[in-house]
Amino acid sequence: MITFKSPSDLAHMRRAGVLVADVLRYLRGLIKPGVDTLSLDRFAEDLIVRGGGRPAFKGYKVPGIRRPFPGTICASINEEVVHGIPSADRILREGDILSVDVGVSVDGWYADAACTYPVGEISDLRRRLLEVTLGGLKAAMGVLREGATVGDVGSAVERVVKGAQMGLVRDYAGHGIGRRLHEAPQVPNYGRPGSGITLKSRMTICVEPMVMTGGEAVRSCDDGWTVVTADGSDAAHFEHTLLVTPDGCEVLTPWED
C-alpha cells in the first residue's frame, strides 16, 4: 500500500535521513587502503546508536535466505553490486571501489541511502562508472515531482546509463519507504515515460541506480545476500530517500556536500 506522510511523519523521516547522511559522510573519511569493511560497519553502528537511531539492515530477514543480514551497512567491493556483508577479511586495496548502503530507523520511521567511494586512486573506467551512476540518480531527481510517473523516473536513469554504454541492473529496484524499509511502489531504474503509477505529493521513495561496466546479468553468491555481476565487471550504486513535492523533490538523506 502506498502511504502519504504527515508533517509529523516527515519530521521523523528527516531525522533518520540526516543520520544516514552523517554516517555516509563520516565513513567517506575512513575509506582507504588497508581498512577492513567490518571496522567500517562498527563505526557506522556506533554512530547510528549514539544518534538515537537503530540500524535498519541488521537482522533484516528475507524469505528464502536462511540467516538475517548480519551487518549494519552493506559493503560491496568492485564486482559486488549490492548487499555485500561486512567482514574483517574484506580489506580494501588501492584502486578498489566500495559501495556503502545505509538504512536507519528513528522512532519507527526509515531512511535509506547509498554511495560508491573510490579507495585511493582509481582507474579512469571506474571513475567514469561512478560519474554515470550518480548522473543517473541526479537525472531521476530532475524529473521527480507531483504528476510524474514511475516510468518517467526510470526512463531518466536509463537514458543516462545506456547513453554511456554501460549496463543497468534490472533485477533490483528502488522502492517506497516510511514505516517500513521497503514499501510500495517499486521504482525500477528503467521504463517508458508516462508509464506506471503517477507520483503525488507526500509520497516518499528511494531511487537507487545500480550500474555496471559490463553486461546486465547478475547472480547471488553462496552467502545468500551478496549480489555480483555475472561477468565480473565493476558495479556502482547511489541512492537517496526522496520526498515528492508539487514542484520537485526534497532530499531526506543529504549526504552530498
Side-chain angles (χ1 to χ4, degrees), residues 30 130 192 213 248:
L30 301 178
L130 269 58
R192 291 183 296 104
T213 55

Side-chain angles (χ1 to χ4, degrees), residues 37-109:
T37 58
L38 183 60
S39 296
L40 298 176
D41 189 77
R42 288 172 173 168
F43 279 118
E45 182 167 1
D46 181 65
L47 188 59
I48 290 168
V49 172
R50 285 193 290 111
R54 181 182 66 81
F57 300 163
K58 193 169 188 178
Y60 190 78
K61 297 179 180 179
V62 172
I65 300 179
R66 287 186 176 181
R67 69 163 171 162
F69 191 78
T72 290
I73 63 172
C74 298
S76 307
I77 303 173
N78 298 339
E79 76 280 2
E80 297 173 348
V81 182
V82 285
H83 307 159
I85 297 174
S87 169
D89 296 327
R90 298 289 282 154
I91 299 172
L92 300 177
R93 299 177 299 175
E94 181 80 19
D96 285 342
I97 52 175
L98 173 68
S99 298
V100 178
D101 195 353
V102 180
V104 169
S105 171
V106 172
D107 297 327
W109 292 91

